[in-house]
Amino acid sequence: MTVVLLVLLLVAGGVMYDGFAAPQVMLNLLIDNAYLLVLAVGMSLVILSGGIDLSVGAVLALSTTVAAWLLQEAHWSAAVVMATVLVGGTLFGVMQGALIHVFRLQPFIVTLAGMFLARGLCYLISVDSITISDETFVMISQTQIHIPGGFVSPGAVIAVVLLAVGIWVAHRSGFGRAVYALGGNESSALMMGLPVGRTKLLVYGFSGFCASLAGLLFGFYMLSGYGLHAQGAELDAIAAVVIGGTMLSGGYGYVAGALSGVLVLGTIQTLIAFDGTLSSWWTKIVIGGLLFVFCVVQRLLSRPIAGA
């Protein structure tokens, strides 16, 4: 359904607006939403495991702020900054997974607290936007990788590579099978002898890694760090995952669906931009309507599965 919807949107845009179907416009969908695709890949595994992670947008903003401060104020090298941000985001996710598993807390509550914590830490570092002028970041930001029909950014390439890794992990590894089993029924997963605790820690650690990586990609894209970056990005990631075909109840879905979900959201934004007369808030309205429809469809399709 998502792929069909995406094709219909692209065809409608090509018919209604001149230049919409240009190859570079299509590539820009991936360039502009590379960070969101990375978030959606991490969120896919979390939702497949039966959880949720509301902290990813705040961790993204914290990653941009930390990276910008370390580059501009502490004068660390770009390589060390990127490694530090990725390790920090991963540990943040592992910490949330440990709280969820050890204390039997609801993922919604734990990650909501993580969201407030990460946003608050941003403003402890700086209440203002920090411009990034580091040569390495600027070079990566301005690099264009030419392919037939146009060019893509390094961030888009990284996002696609991570998507491929996420697909392999979810569908070709023992860890992926444990994630699906955990999302299907945690009690059954325990009786089968699966490492439930370790799986939760790895799932939320991977989500934290994706959020911090998305923060680096956002930093390359914006060349700044700010606590207000990516507000609501966690909800966009959840919407992309659900629209991509993953059930919010867990245990069923495809990581590859994250790509189609992100492209649908990006296409809607592009259509509104090409129209020029509609407010950008119509993007949120349309996405909200789509999310309602897909949730209802998932519920209807899950009834025969449950009965069987």
Side-chain angles (χ1 to χ4, degrees), residues 16-17 269-282:
M16 294 170 60
Y17 307 112
Q269 293 174 335
T270 305
L271 283 169
I272 292 174
F274 264 79
D275 181 87
T277 61
L278 297 174
S279 168
S280 60
W281 288 108
W282 275 100

Side-chain angles (χ1 to χ4, degrees), residues 170-185:
H171 305 294
R172 292 291 184 270
S173 69
F175 169 68
R177 289 189 288 272
V179 169
Y180 275 91
L182 178 62
N185 191 302

Side-chain angles (χ1 to χ4, degrees), residues 36-117:
L36 183 57
L37 177 57
V38 172
L39 287 182
V41 171
M43 188 68 73
S44 293
L45 288 181
V46 172
I47 293 178
L48 284 171
S49 71
I52 199 75
D53 190 350
L54 298 179
S55 69
V56 293
V59 172
L60 184 158
L62 179 60
S63 298
T64 66
T65 306
V66 169
W69 189 88
L70 291 177
L71 288 168
Q72 301 302 123
E73 303 297 332
H75 305 292
W76 287 20
S77 68
V80 175
V81 168
M82 287 187 276
T84 301
V85 166
L86 292 176
V87 171
T90 303
L91 291 177
F92 192 93
V94 170
M95 178 190 70
Q96 292 186 125
L99 289 173
I100 291 168
H101 176 67
V102 174
F103 296 100
R104 302 290 180 181
L105 298 174
Q106 289 294 325
F108 179 90
I109 298 299
V110 172
T111 58
L112 181 64
M115 179 182 73
F116 288 129
L117 174 61

Side-chain angles (χ1 to χ4, degrees), residues 92-157:
F92 192 93
V94 170
M95 178 190 70
Q96 292 186 125
L99 289 173
I100 291 168
H101 176 67
V102 174
F103 296 100
R104 302 290 180 181
L105 298 174
Q106 289 294 325
F108 179 90
I109 298 299
V110 172
T111 58
L112 181 64
M115 179 182 73
F116 288 129
L117 174 61
R119 289 285 181 189
L121 289 174
C122 290
Y123 296 110
L124 282 181
I125 297 171
S126 175
V127 296
D128 299 317
S129 177
I130 305 174
T131 301
I132 297 175
S133 59
D134 178 79
E135 292 181 0
T136 302
F137 270 63
V138 173
M139 179 193 68
I140 294 174
S141 175
Q142 296 176 349
T143 297
Q144 296 179 350
I145 301 173
H146 292 276
I147 61 174
F151 66 87
V152 294
S153 65
V157 174

